[in-house]
């Protein structure tokens, strides 16, 4: 009989609230500079309280690494703006147009590059029982894949979006490693298209009521197509999210934040984390004793800084 391993979160709102308060105060006092250290501290707490198969995750990222990554992003942004501002100052339409083109192309291309760098950094800084994760994707390949799929999405007026989502997810997840364990995503754009089409239509017809079922189907589909291979052993993820729980968590968090004037945000975060983790089961003969360390260290957090600036990639955490 195959084993079943569950994910659990052992943290609580009170502890996370203390971290948020300190982070907020220091971030304000340092005019935002401490934000990188605040993120590192928050992630270390969340990861260290996440348990899987009697082991806990660890986040090894440091604030100084994230801060340096953000500074690199800022430098790129300044250069792009300078080209545009020089054109405005000189009243040169050619330079203004060049600056606009550089900004547009830069914005389009920076997202896949940020995802690539962010994944390499975040995975290398994540471990479970001393074994580090890794991301082996290729920057140029991801960039080409992204530009091709974004182009098709624009040409089809958004219809191709599910395929864009599926192709990127398949590439990114298939290049994640956990020691000698390989991860894959087996979903397709066609299946995602059906879920999106049904979800959008029924959400519109029901004046938004179907939103929770729409979210349930998307979450179950995305997580339900994650598989991993430990040598010859196949490990599959079994999600069992329900519309009712998504609704209850959403309502509870809304009123928690509303009636506490935002002070209840850490409790809302804990509620969401627990909903995600407690609805995921890993099925298969997972053997932690035969996992081998295979990934190299990677300390460049430039991608992480880009994702922070655009507020993507981090999601809940």
């Amino acid at each position: 009989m195959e084993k079943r391993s569950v994910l659990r979160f052992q943290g609580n709102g009170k502890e996370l609230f203390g971290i948020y308060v300190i982070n907020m105060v220091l971030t304000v006092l340092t005019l935002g500079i401490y934000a990188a250290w605040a993120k590192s501290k928050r992630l270390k707490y969340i990861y260290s309280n996440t348990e899987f198969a009697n082991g806990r995750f660890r986040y090894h990222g440091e604030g100084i690494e994230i801060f340096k990554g953000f500074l690199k992003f800022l430098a790129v942004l300044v250069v792009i703006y300078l080209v545009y501002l020089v054109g405005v100052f000189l009243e040169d339409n050619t330079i203004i147009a060049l600056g606009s083109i550089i900004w547009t192309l830069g914005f389009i291309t920076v997202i896949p590059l940020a995802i690539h760098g962010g994944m390499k950094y975040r995975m290398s800084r994540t471990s479970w029982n001393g074994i580090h994760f890794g991301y082996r994707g290729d920057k140029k390949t991801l960039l080409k894949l992204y530009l091709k799929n974004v182009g098709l999405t624009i040409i089809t007026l958004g219809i191709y979006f599910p395929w864009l989502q599926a192709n990127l997810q398949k590439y990114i997840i298939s290049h994640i490693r956990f020691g000698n364990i390989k991860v894959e995503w087996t979903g397709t754009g066609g299946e995602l298209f059906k879920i999106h089409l049904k979800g959008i239509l029924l959400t519109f017809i029901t004046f938004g009521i179907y939103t929770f079922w729409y979210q349930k189907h998307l979450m179950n589909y995305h997580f339900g197509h994650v598989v991993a291979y430990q040598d010859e052993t196949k490990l599959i993820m079994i999600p069992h999210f329900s519309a009712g729980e998504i609704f209850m968590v959403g309502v509870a968090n809304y009123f928690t934040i509303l009636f506490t004037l935002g002070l209840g945000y850490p409790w809302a975060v804990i509620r969401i984390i627990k909903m995600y983790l407690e609805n995921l089961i890993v099925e298969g003969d997972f053997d932690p004793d035969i996992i081998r360390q295979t990934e190299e260290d990677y300390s460049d957090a430039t991608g992480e800084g880009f994702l922070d600036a655009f507020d993507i990639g981090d999601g809940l955490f």
Side-chain angles (χ1 to χ4, degrees), residues 14-293:
K14 183 179 179 180
E15 293 174 346
L16 189 58
F17 176 74
I19 292 173
Y20 267 89
V21 169
I22 295 173
N23 283 347
M24 182 174 64
V25 171
L26 291 176
T27 300
V28 171
L29 291 177
T30 60
L31 302 178
I33 293 176
Y34 189 76
W37 284 266
K39 178 177 183 177
S40 176
K41 189 174 181 180
R42 182 178 72 251
L43 289 177
K44 285 182 179 180
Y45 176 79
I46 292 173
Y47 278 47
S48 65
N49 281 283
T50 301
E51 185 178 280
F52 172 71
N54 298 319
R56 295 206 177 187
F57 291 87
R58 292 288 184 273
Y59 177 71
H60 306 274
E62 298 297 336
I64 187 63
E65 295 172 340
I66 299 174
F67 182 66
K68 288 179 179 178
F70 178 75
L71 289 180
K72 290 181 181 179
F73 161 77
L74 197 60
V76 172
L77 194 64
V78 167
V79 170
I80 293 175
Y81 267 122
L82 280 177
V83 174
Y84 179 78
L85 291 176
V86 167
V88 173
F89 179 75
L90 298 177
E91 297 183 349
D92 189 322
N93 291 330
T94 301
I95 298 179
I96 293 175
L98 178 62
S100 299
I101 292 172
I102 292 175
W103 168 255
T104 302
L105 293 177
F107 183 80
I108 292 174
T109 58
V110 78
I111 294 177
L113 297 179
I115 292 173
H116 171 82
M119 285 295 297
K120 283 187 72 69
Y121 177 76
R122 180 67 69 89
M123 290 295 100
S124 76
R125 288 295 181 261
T126 301
S127 71
W128 179 86
N129 272 13
I131 303 296
H132 282 256
F133 285 75
Y135 174 71
R136 300 184 181 181
D138 178 71
K139 187 189 308 180
K140 292 182 180 178
T141 303
L142 180 59
L143 178 60
K144 291 178 182 178
L145 179 68
Y146 176 83
L147 293 177
K148 174 184 175 182
N149 281 266
V150 166
L152 290 172
T153 301
I154 293 172
I155 291 172
T156 59
L157 302 179
I159 294 176
Y160 194 78
F161 176 75
W163 284 269
L164 161 67
Q165 190 178 22
N167 291 337
L168 289 179
Q169 192 158 318
K170 187 183 293 289
Y171 181 83
I172 292 168
I173 293 180
S174 68
H175 286 86
I176 292 176
R177 297 292 185 273
F178 171 47
N180 59 319
I181 294 179
K182 181 181 179 181
V183 186
E184 291 183 358
W185 190 74
T186 60
T188 67
E191 292 174 332
L192 269 180
F193 176 77
K194 294 176 183 177
I195 295 174
H196 281 300
L197 181 62
K198 178 182 177 182
I200 293 171
L201 289 176
L202 290 179
T203 298
F204 178 76
I205 293 172
T206 61
F207 301 99
I209 295 175
Y210 189 75
T211 299
F212 306 103
W213 282 267
Y214 184 15
Q215 292 178 347
K216 179 199 77 171
H217 291 310
L218 281 175
M219 290 161 67
N220 283 330
Y221 186 81
H222 284 296
F223 286 107
H225 284 79
V226 175
V227 297
Y229 296 91
Q230 184 178 27
D231 295 328
E232 301 301 319
T233 301
K234 183 178 181 179
L235 308 171
I236 61 175
M237 186 171 285
I238 303 175
H240 48 90
F241 295 98
S242 69
E245 185 176 7
I246 294 172
F247 170 77
M248 293 302 295
V249 168
V251 170
N253 283 351
Y254 174 78
F255 286 109
T256 296
I257 295 173
L258 179 66
F259 291 131
T260 63
L261 301 178
L263 293 176
Y265 180 72
W267 281 268
V269 170
I270 295 294
R271 198 175 285 122
I272 295 175
I273 293 175
K274 287 187 174 182
M275 181 189 72
Y276 270 89
L277 298 183
E278 292 173 2
N279 282 290
L280 294 174
I281 295 173
V282 178
E283 186 171 88
D285 292 320
F286 173 66
D287 187 351
D289 295 327
I290 62 173
I291 299 177
R292 302 186 303 275
Q293 183 68 270

